[in-house]
Amino acid sequence: MSTLPTGLFIASGALILYFVIGRWYKSGGSDLKSIPRAPGGHWLWGHERDALIKPNGSFYTENFEKCGAPVFAMKGGFFSEDILAIRDPAAITHIFTRHPYDYHKSAFIRPLVERLLGRSLPWAEGDEHKRQRVALAPVFTHESIKRMEPEVRLASDTLVHLIAETINSNSSTKTGDNTIEIDPLTWTCRATLQIIGSVGFGQDFEMGGSDDAKGILAAVHEVVELGMTPAGFIAPLVLRAFPFITDLPVKAIQAHGKAKTILRRLAAVKVEEKRRMNDDKDVGGKDFLSMLLKMQDVYNVELNQILDQLAMFTLVGHDTTAYGISFALYNLAHNKPAQDRLRNELLAFHSSEPTYDDFSNRLPMLEAVTKESLRIFPPTMHTERVALKDDILPLRNPIRDPRTGEGVHSLAIKRGQTIHISHMALHRDKSVWGEDASEFKPERWLSTLPGNDGGDESTVHSLPPPTGSTRGWSGLFSFIEGPRLCIGVRLALFQYKVMLADLIKNFEFLPVEGPDGLIETVFSVTNQPYVIGKKSEGVKLPLRVRCLH
């Protein structure tokens, strides 16, 4: 009789026993049994597959509402321990602001981040993160961003010119209202890549037309498309159970490094150019690379890390900002009154070109549209953290123990506890933002807004109190909070507002009629849109556009 079936049986039994014992050990001393639980859950995938494939973060939103609490437990995949989902602002602040280095990324996420972005700021943890943050802070001051204004404006002007040229040269495809259908992501990704290349290391990507730009955009697209396939949804569950797989030559994993390789090569060439033209103590230029090279000795930063930081700036900076602008255009296309109000504000501005300071505080409707769009469609759908030690999470909103009915004001968690924070569920919490939490209403950010007829009628809208929201930018979690707050948020918001303003002043955006004009989003690297019912066709954000001049 062959011993192979017996060996397989023993190996399978040992594996299951390993997971069961590990789950039992990690649950000991935890309060997860005293909080509501998401119903159901697959025997193998747990709730994780639903959390990944359901659109718009709806798995989390639905279960927060079903459980009637700002926390709930969900089954982990592959027999792993239960996952804690939270949207309580006190618990989030405890993790990200008060004790940020007691909670790290999952063991399988860091290797993937390293492949995609190198050992840059998003990869770093603990003291290494503190050191990198201090070294990079001078690059992102208000004064540094102001010096980048010419590059931002040039790319924005070029973007407007290219879209207008495309509209005028496609007269045969125009509809009766003189519009053509476009996907703004195609255009905004090219513009933001041009900006980050210019201000990052003086690289001209020719508005996405250079061979290197095409290679970067194609590599990013490949990773995103892989993440939207069935295998892409299952992969995170497998990697959590077997993190060593990240070291294997799997195509989907290897694809993460293609864009980084191109960018490191380009940045290395720029370093040599700068050092040939200047000595090491006087590296000229105002771009990120020049500033980082000047600080290299001061902060003991190795060249490899500088190249990784530049790759990270370029990939993260261009992608998330481009998507943010495109989502704003989608929201405005589906809310004509808001689009008209924004355009009127921009055209009535006392100066033909608002300055950096004007964009920061003198265009209230633009500010409201920016905040509301980033609330509805944050760049990232969810964030995951793992506790490095036993801890007590405070709750601003107490819950009831489903077993005893007693109030629970804090949660004891064990070392190794996985925690999920859904940005979209947090931003669409009806108990915080009201019954219209899922609707795009920029007026909620304004104390008063004139009625549509331009008369004296005003509608008053209120924001949630500070205790009801996170400590992130504008009370949102779009850029995280605490020491993990996006270090490039000033540049991201500046280029976002400049491009959005120029596009709204020069074009009118309208929705595509019928079901082909409605989108949902799913997580794949960042928040990805697709036409409802057509996810297999990949990332799409269809709009109609026409020239106003």
Side-chain angles (χ1 to χ4, degrees):
M1 180 177 177
S2 171
T3 60
L4 182 59
T6 303
L8 286 174
F9 177 79
I10 293 173
S12 300
L15 187 63
I16 293 173
L17 186 62
Y18 167 79
F19 282 118
V20 170
I21 292 175
R23 183 170 181 172
W24 171 81
Y25 172 76
K26 290 181 180 179
S27 65
S30 168
D31 282 343
L32 259 64
K33 291 182 179 179
S34 67
I35 68 173
R37 300 182 59 83
H42 191 271
W43 70 271
L44 181 61
W45 311 127
H47 288 108
E48 290 194 76
R49 188 172 181 273
D50 283 347
L52 287 167
I53 66 175
K54 283 196 171 184
N56 302 331
S58 57
F59 166 81
Y60 295 98
T61 303
E62 291 168 2
N63 278 288
F64 280 124
E65 292 180 359
K66 286 178 184 177
C67 294
V71 296
F72 68 84
M74 53 186 277
K75 291 181 182 178
F78 279 94
F79 312 107
S80 59
E81 71 274 13
D82 288 341
I83 294 169
L84 173 62
I86 64 173
R87 69 176 179 187
D88 185 272
I92 290 171
T93 294
H94 178 90
I95 293 170
F96 288 90
T97 300
R98 292 179 178 162
H99 302 277
Y101 299 116
D102 291 340
Y103 295 85
H104 285 190
K105 299 178 185 68
S106 297
F108 79 90
I109 290 179
R110 285 195 80 202
L112 295 179
V113 172
E114 184 178 357
R115 284 181 180 271
L116 184 63
L117 305 174
R119 296 194 168 197
S120 58
L121 192 62
W123 168 86
E125 298 286 2
D127 290 340
E128 174 64 17
H129 181 269
K130 295 177 186 177
R131 187 183 68 80
Q132 288 194 29
R133 186 95 186 183
V134 170
L136 293 172
V139 178
F140 293 99
T141 63
H142 281 294
E143 291 306 314
S144 295
I145 305 305
K146 283 183 180 180
R147 289 196 295 269
M148 300 168 190
E149 185 171 347
E151 288 85 356
V152 175
R153 290 196 180 278
L154 177 60
S156 185
D157 290 343
T158 306
L159 174 64
V160 169
H161 172 76
L162 290 174
I163 294 178
E165 192 176 63
T166 300
I167 294 173
N168 293 329
S169 63
N170 284 273
S171 56
S172 60
T173 62
K174 286 183 182 178
T175 61
D177 57 2
N178 289 320
T179 65
I180 66 167
E181 184 174 325
I182 68 166
D183 186 336
L185 284 170
T186 303
W187 300 96
T188 56
C189 283
R190 291 162 61 183
T192 53
L193 182 60
Q194 178 66 26
I195 291 171
I196 299 298
S198 297
V199 304
F201 53 108
Q203 180 70 35
D204 182 5
F205 283 118
E206 301 173 15
M207 287 295 288
S210 71
D211 289 341
D212 288 320
K214 292 175 182 176
I216 293 167
L217 294 171
V220 173
H221 181 74
E222 180 183 0
V223 173
V224 167
E225 293 291 337
L226 282 169
M228 294 179 68
T229 63
F233 294 128
I234 295 172
L237 281 65
V238 177
L239 291 172
R240 187 193 306 286
F242 310 103
F244 65 85
I245 293 176
T246 57
D247 294 326
L248 299 180
V250 180
K251 179 184 177 183
I253 296 173
Q254 290 181 322
H256 281 71
K258 290 182 180 179
K260 181 189 73 174
T261 300
I262 296 172
L263 287 162
R264 280 179 58 92
R265 171 176 56 79
L266 294 174
V269 170
K270 291 292 183 180
V271 169
E272 290 306 312
E273 289 178 357
K274 288 178 180 294
R275 286 183 169 168
R276 281 198 304 268
M277 296 171 61
N278 310 274
D279 63 51
D280 287 353
K281 302 298 182 183
D282 185 25
V283 180
K286 62 180 182 179
D287 53 55
F288 292 164
L289 176 57
S290 298
M291 288 187 276
L292 288 172
L293 288 174
K294 289 175 184 177
M295 295 183 292
Q296 189 174 7
D297 291 337
V298 177
Y299 293 104
N300 192 28
V301 180
E302 295 181 359
L303 179 59
N304 265 337
Q305 192 174 99
I306 289 177
L307 299 181
D308 281 346
Q309 302 292 10
L310 288 168
M312 180 272 292
F313 292 152
T314 307
L315 291 171
V316 175
H318 101 269
D319 188 61
T320 54
T321 305
Y323 275 73
I325 296 167
S326 299
F327 281 130
L329 294 174
Y330 175 85
N331 287 327
L332 290 168
H334 287 263
N335 189 329
K336 189 176 184 301
Q339 185 178 167
D340 289 343
R341 289 176 186 139
L342 175 57
R343 185 176 297 110
N344 291 338
E345 175 182 87
L346 295 168
L347 293 175
F349 192 72
H350 61 81
S351 171
S352 58
E353 292 292 343
T355 65
Y356 175 87
D357 291 330
D358 293 331
F359 277 113
S360 297
N361 52 37
R362 296 192 183 98
L363 292 162
M365 188 62 186
L366 178 61
E367 186 74 10
V369 167
T370 299
K371 291 175 179 177
E372 182 69 350
S373 194
L374 288 171
R375 184 187 71 84
I376 291 291
F377 291 115
T380 300
M381 187 171 287
H382 78 267
T383 296
E384 178 176 303
R385 287 291 184 268
V386 175
L388 295 186
K389 63 181 184 179
D390 296 357
D391 200 4
I392 303 292
L393 292 181
L395 296 177
R396 184 164 297 156
N397 303 300
I399 62 173
R400 292 286 174 188
D401 186 326
R403 302 169 303 173
T404 65
E406 295 179 358
V408 177
H409 297 263
S410 62
L411 294 178
I413 60 170
K414 294 288 289 181
R415 175 188 175 189
Q417 176 64 57
T418 299
I419 300 169
H420 282 189
I421 301 96
S422 169
H423 298 218
M424 296 190 80
L426 187 62
H427 289 177
R428 300 185 182 200
D429 183 354
K430 291 181 180 179
S431 69
V432 175
W433 298 95
E435 289 300 314
D436 58 359
S438 296
E439 299 175 33
F440 174 74
K441 290 187 174 181
E443 57 267 26
R444 76 174 78 242
W445 296 91
L446 304 170
S447 57
T448 59
L449 188 70
N452 294 343
D453 59 1
D456 295 331
E457 181 184 356
S458 296
T459 305
V460 177
H461 300 266
S462 60
L463 291 174
T467 55
S469 55
T470 73
R471 292 190 179 183
W473 170 79
S474 298
L476 299 175
F477 207 62
S478 303
F479 301 103
I480 313 294
E481 69 167 77
R484 287 288 183 182
L485 179 76
C486 172
I487 197 168
V489 62
R490 291 189 182 107
L491 176 60
L493 290 172
F494 180 53
Q495 58 180 321
Y496 181 111
K497 292 176 183 178
V498 170
M499 279 192 275
L500 182 58
D502 283 347
L503 291 169
I504 293 300
K505 283 191 293 185
N506 288 278
F507 306 103
E508 181 178 10
F509 293 88
L510 300 98
V512 169
E513 299 296 336
D516 286 345
L518 299 177
I519 66 163
E520 292 176 329
T521 64
V522 69
F523 181 73
S524 178
V525 183
T526 55
N527 208 358
Q528 305 294 333
Y530 61 90
V531 175
I532 295 177
K534 297 185 177 181
K535 187 189 294 184
S536 61
E537 296 181 6
V539 177
K540 284 188 179 179
L541 205 164
L543 295 177
R544 292 184 298 139
V545 60
R546 62 167 162 240
C547 288
L548 293 175
H549 307 295

